[in-house]
Amino acid sequence: MDRTFAILLLLAVLTCFVAPKVPTVTFTNGVKAPAIAFGTGTFWHKKESDKNINRTLVEAIKTAIHEGYYHIDTGDDYFTEKEVGIAIKESEVPREKLFITTKLDKFLSDPRKGLETSLKNLQLDYVDMYLIHSPFFNKTTHGIEIEQVWKIMESQYNQNLTRVIGVSNFRIKDIIRVLKIAKVHPEVNQLEFHPYVQSTDLQAFAKENKIFLQAYSPLAPIVYKKDGPVNESLQRIAENHKTTQAQVLLAWTEAKYNMVITTSGKKHHMKEALDSYDLRLSKSETNEIDSEGSKLLYREFWKDQFKNWP
Ligand SMILES: NC(=O)c1ccc[n+]([C@@H]2O[C@H](COP(=O)([O-])OP(=O)(O)OC[C@H]3O[C@@H](n4cnc5c(N)ncnc54)[C@H](OP(=O)(O)O)[C@@H]3O)[C@@H](O)[C@H]2O)c1
Ligand SMILES: *[C@@H]1O[C@H](CO)[C@@H](O)[C@H](O)[C@H]1NC(C)=O
Ligand SMILES: *[C@@H]1O[C@H](CO)[C@@H](O)[C@H](O)[C@H]1NC(C)=O
Ligand SMILES: *[C@@H]1O[C@H](CO)[C@@H](O)[C@H](O)[C@H]1NC(C)=O
Ligand SMILES: *[C@@H]1O[C@H](CO)[C@@H](O)[C@H](O)[C@H]1NC(C)=O
């Protein structure tokens, strides 16, 4: 009896020890979310016509969950919501332990149908977070304006279909439109953030207005724009810490933004990301990445819209 108890206690202590220490953020409405999310867009993105389930993605999500990613990011135009739903079921992790985000884009002109369809694809009764994928639409292009979409999302929030509502790819002027009419606070703005898109003005604005910033494509300097000005700094800082450039980028991002989304098809990369919270960069290393990064403005996503949309 005593020995069994001792073994169980030891196991419990060991489990605590090996489980990744992913921080949690708490939104203004009290809802909590794991700070790091596993993405199912970008290279996982499917064609709408592809009705087959991508088992490679299902297995990757299950691996991610088992390694410690309890926050999964998808969108109604990634066509990966069904894979997320299957992975949740097969993971056997209780639904309420997971934080599931999806985004409104394909169904912008009919947000009610949008969330209803997403929930059906995900096999869920509610999502944890529902975001407007971008501000680049209006009455002419989609028959609806940002304010009208927000009001419908507020009613979905009040019906408990989503625990948090927010936005993505919103500029300061777009967020102001929401704040002017909001009865439910926009908790999150999900944006491309890395050394080549630092958006310091948005960082200050978000802090002032208690909006959490969620960084996507944190690895851009080693994935999308490899020969940019932070290259050498990254190499040296990673060597000094005996770690990888990916971990340096993640640690830099995590110290600046409240939340981060990354993705991988490889278990060792997933582990690297989850362990990145153990890495602390010095002030001078952070400053060096800031200043080298700000020598180049490079965006991988929504380039034309950020350039041309009024
Ligand atoms: N709201 C929006 O408009 C928007 C736009 C873009 C993305 N997102 C979301 O953000 C998610 C992530 O975006 P992203 O894919 O651009 O992010 P990312 O994490 O910067 O890049 C992922 C790429 O990095 C590689 N990688 C991952 N870990 C690595 C490591 N330790 N070392 C070297 N390479 C590594 C992955 O390939 P391997 O398989 O080889 O690891 C993958 O090709 C998307 O899936 C989506 O959910 C949202
Ligand atoms: C699943 O997704 C991966 C990553 O995009 C891709 O390489 C693979 O071909 C896909 N599998 C199927 C069966 O479509
Ligand atoms: C909507 O956006 C398009 C593209 O930017 C623009 O041409 C059009 O004038 C806008 N319409 C309204 C009603 O704002
Ligand atoms: C939503 O959930 C809250 C808290 O559990 C509950 O008080 C409220 O009645 C629910 N609203 C609806 C419309 O189900
Ligand atoms: C980074 O810069 C070094 C030195 O300037 C160069 O040799 C290397 O090829 C670059 N690496 C990448 C991935 O661009």
Side-chain angles (χ1 to χ4, degrees):
M1 185 68 177
D2 270 0
R3 219 174 73 179
T4 315
F5 180 74
I7 289 170
L8 282 178
L9 189 69
L10 182 69
L11 278 177
V13 169
L14 280 177
T15 314
C16 286
F17 204 73
V18 293
K21 312 165 268 310
V22 171
T24 296
V25 297
T26 306
F27 300 118
T28 68
N29 69 353
V31 170
K32 292 180 193 308
I36 192 168
F38 183 79
T40 66
T42 46
F43 78 85
W44 298 112
H45 202 295
K46 284 164 62 186
K47 288 205 175 69
E48 185 169 12
S49 58
D50 181 1
K51 304 292 179 199
N52 297 317
I53 295 298
N54 187 330
R55 282 301 312 182
T56 308
L57 172 55
V58 173
E59 291 306 326
I61 299 166
K62 282 161 66 180
T63 303
I65 292 173
H66 289 132
E67 289 305 318
Y69 274 103
Y70 275 37
H71 181 165
I72 312 291
D73 183 80
T74 185
D76 71 6
D77 67 335
Y78 297 173
F79 307 105
T80 56
E81 290 175 324
K82 285 189 176 159
E83 279 82 353
V84 174
I86 293 168
I88 293 170
K89 286 264 163 8
E90 292 184 6
S91 76
E92 293 180 7
V93 170
R95 191 270 170 261
E96 63 277 10
K97 288 216 183 320
L98 299 170
F99 191 97
I100 309 298
T101 297
T102 195
K103 308 182 201 85
L104 174 69
D105 191 323
K106 173 176 150 57
F107 287 95
L108 257 178
S109 52
D110 188 356
R112 286 178 210 284
K113 177 129 185 275
L115 185 50
E116 202 177 287
T117 308
S118 289
L119 289 172
K120 209 173 285 169
N121 287 336
L122 288 160
Q123 305 182 57
L124 297 177
D125 304 324
Y126 67 91
V127 290
D128 295 279
M129 185 153 83
Y130 198 38
L131 305 177
I132 309 179
H133 204 166
S134 94
F136 309 121
F137 65 91
N138 62 28
K139 199 127 202 154
T140 312
T141 63
H142 288 72
I144 199 162
E145 293 286 347
I146 286 175
E147 290 82 357
Q148 293 169 283
V149 172
W150 192 257
K151 284 292 143 194
I152 295 172
M153 286 172 61
E154 288 186 338
S155 78
Q156 291 166 326
Y157 173 88
N158 288 324
Q159 288 169 64
N160 296 336
L161 298 175
T162 177
R163 299 168 70 219
V164 171
I165 52 178
V167 298
S168 175
N169 298 303
F170 272 44
R171 302 157 300 181
I172 292 177
K173 60 183 169 187
D174 307 313
I175 304 174
I176 288 173
R177 284 176 64 179
V178 173
L179 288 174
K180 269 196 181 137
I181 53 118
K183 290 223 166 68
V184 179
H185 186 61
E187 305 278 7
V188 169
N189 188 14
Q190 180 183 115
L191 280 147
E192 180 169 343
F193 276 128
H194 48 70
Y196 304 137
V197 189
Q198 296 185 31
S199 307
T200 41
D201 53 340
L202 228 154
Q203 286 185 48
F205 178 85
K207 196 165 186 182
E208 225 168 88
N209 289 283
K210 297 192 166 57
I211 294 167
F212 286 74
L213 295 178
Q214 189 182 28
Y216 70 71
S217 304
L219 304 181
I222 59 167
V223 176
Y224 302 121
K225 187 69 190 154
K226 295 184 191 180
D227 49 3
V230 292
N231 177 3
E232 274 179 46
S233 304
L234 279 181
Q235 227 167 293
R236 183 166 25 79
I237 294 168
E239 273 166 27
N240 287 347
H241 286 274
K242 297 194 169 42
T243 184
T244 61
Q245 297 187 29
Q247 276 208 333
V248 172
L249 282 167
L250 287 164
W252 178 86
T253 306
E254 287 151 5
K256 279 188 187 296
Y257 308 105
N258 314 91
M259 303 161 85
V260 64
I261 320 177
T262 178
T263 191
S264 175
K266 303 181 179 111
K267 187 168 162 176
H268 69 282
H269 282 171
M270 297 176 193
K271 278 185 197 282
E272 240 180 68
L274 292 163
D275 289 342
S276 63
Y277 286 95
D278 292 337
L279 176 63
R280 292 267 181 281
L281 302 180
S282 71
K283 188 95 186 99
S284 74
E285 289 168 333
T286 302
N287 289 344
E288 180 178 336
I289 297 174
D290 290 1
S291 69
E292 289 303 305
S294 61
K295 289 179 182 166
L296 174 72
L297 181 63
Y298 177 84
R299 233 178 237 294
E300 177 69 15
F301 297 97
W302 306 90
K303 280 180 223 199
D304 294 342
Q305 289 90 337
F306 273 97
K307 220 177 278 165
N308 302 322
W309 194 272

